Amino acid sequence: MTQPSQSEFLWFLQLSRDGEYIGTREKPPRKPTLPYISSLIETAGEAGFDALLTATNYHSEHENYTAAVAALARTAATDPALLIAVRPGMFHPAMYAKMLATLQNLFPGRVRLNIVTGSSPAENAMYGDNEDHARRYERTREFMTILRQLWTQPPPQSFKSDLYSFEKAVLDPAPVQPIPLYFGGASPVAQQIAADLADVYLMWGEREDMLAERLSQMKALEAQTGRKLRYGLRTHVIVRETEAEAHAAAERLISRVDPEVRAAFVASYAHVDGVGQQRQIEMLSGVGADLMVEPGLWAGVGMARSGVGVALIGSPEQVAAKIRRYEEMGFSSFIFSGYPHLEESRRFGELVMPLLKGKAEELRVIHSDEVAPMA
């Protein structure tokens, strides 16, 4: 008998308009109101998810830290945690350490942090960040080092470099519970930072042979540092009762991709300097007409979305088997998403989570006045 999964499962907290199609000119119909964001957190919890990721993206309708504070205050202490993404170029780490400590102390156990170095200089420039790839990773290392210093060492604390400087900082009280640091990056410098400072090293979905290579590299770094990391995988997911229905849903998702939107998206590749994003672009450029990267992994999301461009796809049994395969490889943290996010989190909870956790989750019925209907 298959043992219940010991992995953690996270969903995506959409902070922009949400809908059933991607790559269209029209704005998706559902607005990211606070009631909707809260319902998404509650529904993901009822579906069996442990936390939700809030991305940091200039094109999102909401700034993610502010939205996270509001959502944590509106939802219950027993609802899932939030994995809050931050770009080190946006905040001084001494101030951000205090902000996160405050949040963890107000909402114990519901705060995690995802460090995002950034893969597009053009997008970084929207925040006033014009540093090159090497400098961004140098800054990321110091940002993470300072967070750990202020959270774990007794005050006062000081730090001085050409990037950051502060004297006799007092962070009191410290976080009531440790704040896990999630971090991803495919370049050698990113992998070394993860081995030295991260709790969870995140990878975007790739072919299994590509993932196995990265895991091997990270295990070698683990041996050098003497630290043990957990490994996380970020993908979308499209699951239906049958494999044929899942592929039909996938085709529907991209059925309205506008050629001009697609062309502009491809043109944006020229501004990418992140190794992980380049790996996604190269991998997706080699797929055939069915957009399958390998069995159970579909590349259609990459036609109109940056970041991870692949989705697990298939019947509940097929998707669960693919996740079990990843667990055998060494992954124990999974971050999923689907369009629209509330309905797809519920669907995953109903169809896949019982196969992973060994029991069905009882899901609350969402009343019609709690969630804005799809147009």
Side-chain angles (χ1 to χ4, degrees), residues 6 10 77 100 108 120 127 144 158 186 223 235 261 297 303 310 319 330 346 356 359 373:
Q6 299 302 307
L10 291 79
L100 265 289
S120 169
Y127 301 97
M144 295 172 70
S158 301
T235 75
V261 173
L297 197 64
M303 293 184 64
V310 296
V319 170
R346 174 181 292 278
L356 298 172
K359 62 179 181 179

Side-chain angles (χ1 to χ4, degrees), residues 2 33 43-44 75 96 108 114-115 128 153 175 215 237 281 291 300 312 356 358 362 374:
T2 303
T33 63
T43 301
T75 52
Y96 204 73
N114 181 34
I115 311 294
Q153 298 182 25
L215 286 169
V237 62
I281 293 167
L291 300 178
L312 306 188
L356 298 172
E362 183 177 339
M374 304 297 293

Side-chain angles (χ1 to χ4, degrees), residues 7-133:
S7 297
E8 64 171 10
F9 296 97
L10 291 79
W11 193 250
F12 187 75
L13 186 61
Q14 179 79 345
L15 298 179
S16 294
R17 287 174 175 260
D18 205 4
E20 299 176 84
Y21 305 95
I22 61 174
T24 67
R25 289 190 183 185
E26 299 78 21
K27 289 184 177 181
R30 183 177 292 160
K31 297 179 180 180
T33 63
L34 185 55
Y36 173 65
I37 293 171
S38 302
S39 290
L40 180 50
I41 293 171
E42 293 163 356
T43 301
E46 290 156 356
F49 289 98
D50 303 288
L52 293 91
L53 168 66
T54 73
T56 173
N57 186 309
Y58 198 88
H59 302 290
S60 292
E61 295 185 42
H62 297 319
E63 186 276 316
N64 72 325
Y65 183 85
T66 306
V69 173
L72 286 168
R74 185 181 174 97
T75 52
T78 54
D79 283 326
L82 296 185
L83 175 56
I84 303 170
V86 63
R87 296 174 186 260
M90 293 173 59
F91 298 92
H92 192 288
M95 186 67 241
Y96 204 73
K98 181 66 172 179
M99 292 164 63
L100 265 289
T102 299
L103 205 59
Q104 183 74 305
N105 291 337
L106 291 175
F107 306 101
R110 297 192 67 197
V111 177
R112 309 176 187 187
L113 188 61
N114 181 34
I115 311 294
V116 179
T117 303
S119 64
S120 169
E123 183 180 16
N124 292 335
M126 297 176 184
Y127 301 97
D129 181 4
N130 297 297
E131 302 289 1
D132 63 21
H133 183 274

Side-chain angles (χ1 to χ4, degrees), residues 53-370:
L53 168 66
T54 73
T56 173
N57 186 309
Y58 198 88
H59 302 290
S60 292
E61 295 185 42
H62 297 319
E63 186 276 316
N64 72 325
Y65 183 85
T66 306
V69 173
L72 286 168
R74 185 181 174 97
T75 52
T78 54
D79 283 326
L82 296 185
L83 175 56
I84 303 170
V86 63
R87 296 174 186 260
M90 293 173 59
F91 298 92
H92 192 288
M95 186 67 241
Y96 204 73
K98 181 66 172 179
M99 292 164 63
L100 265 289
T102 299
L103 205 59
Q104 183 74 305
N105 291 337
L106 291 175
F107 306 101
R110 297 192 67 197
V111 177
R112 309 176 187 187
L113 188 61
N114 181 34
I115 311 294
V116 179
T117 303
S119 64
S120 169
E123 183 180 16
N124 292 335
M126 297 176 184
Y127 301 97
D129 181 4
N130 297 297
E131 302 289 1
D132 63 21
H133 183 274
R135 187 68 164 173
R136 294 200 307 271
Y137 276 99
E138 181 184 355
R139 183 178 60 197
T140 292
R141 173 178 285 279
E142 290 196 8
F143 191 92
M144 295 172 70
T145 298
I146 290 168
L147 293 182
R148 287 208 179 278
Q149 176 182 337
L150 290 172
W151 287 340
T152 62
Q153 298 182 25
Q157 290 291 320
S158 301
F159 188 93
K160 187 173 183 61
S161 75
D162 64 336
L163 281 168
Y164 297 118
S165 178
F166 57 91
E167 295 182 7
K168 298 181 180 179
V170 175
L171 198 161
D172 185 30
V176 65
Q177 294 177 338
I179 301 174
L181 297 183
Y182 292 63
F183 175 71
S187 65
V189 66
Q191 291 178 315
Q192 186 64 61
I193 290 172
D196 292 337
L197 294 167
D199 296 301
V200 181
Y201 176 64
L202 294 174
M203 304 183 207
W204 284 335
E206 297 179 333
R207 294 193 315 270
E208 287 188 14
D209 63 304
M210 298 170 70
L211 294 174
E213 179 185 23
R214 297 264 298 282
L215 286 169
S216 177
Q217 293 167 352
M218 290 303 301
K219 292 294 184 181
L221 292 174
E222 272 191 3
Q224 293 174 14
T225 62
R227 299 181 71 242
K228 296 295 292 182
L229 282 79
R230 290 167 33 224
Y231 294 96
L233 191 66
R234 168 80 178 103
T235 75
H236 305 281
V237 62
I238 302 173
V239 62
R240 295 294 186 271
E241 293 283 359
T242 68
E243 182 179 10
E245 290 172 333
H247 282 274
E251 290 301 318
R252 175 180 170 82
L253 178 66
I254 60 173
S255 63
R256 298 186 184 181
V257 173
D258 185 276
E260 292 187 8
V261 173
R262 172 62 180 160
F265 182 70
V266 172
S268 70
Y269 292 166
H271 304 293
V272 169
D273 70 358
V275 174
Q277 188 67 75
Q278 291 170 345
R279 287 168 66 98
Q280 287 284 304
I281 293 167
E282 293 169 4
M283 179 183 66
L284 302 183
S285 67
V287 300
D290 62 358
L291 300 178
M292 294 298 293
V293 174
E294 65 185 8
L297 197 64
W298 179 75
V301 178
M303 293 184 64
R305 286 287 185 274
S306 60
V308 62
V310 296
L312 306 188
I313 189 169
S315 68
E317 293 77 15
Q318 290 170 322
V319 170
K322 188 74 168 174
I323 293 170
R324 291 288 192 185
R325 170 61 181 156
Y326 291 139
E327 289 178 325
E328 291 170 359
M329 294 175 67
F331 292 97
S332 61
S333 180
F334 298 90
I335 306 176
F336 297 130
S337 53
Y339 301 89
H341 286 77
L342 188 144
E343 287 81 358
E344 291 304 308
S345 70
R346 174 181 292 278
R347 195 187 307 273
F348 189 96
E350 292 174 343
L351 298 180
V352 183
M353 204 69 82
L355 301 178
L356 298 172
K357 295 191 173 183
K359 62 179 181 179
E361 299 288 346
E362 183 177 339
L363 301 183
R364 178 175 63 88
V365 174
I366 299 294
H367 298 293
S368 60
D369 60 346
E370 293 185 74

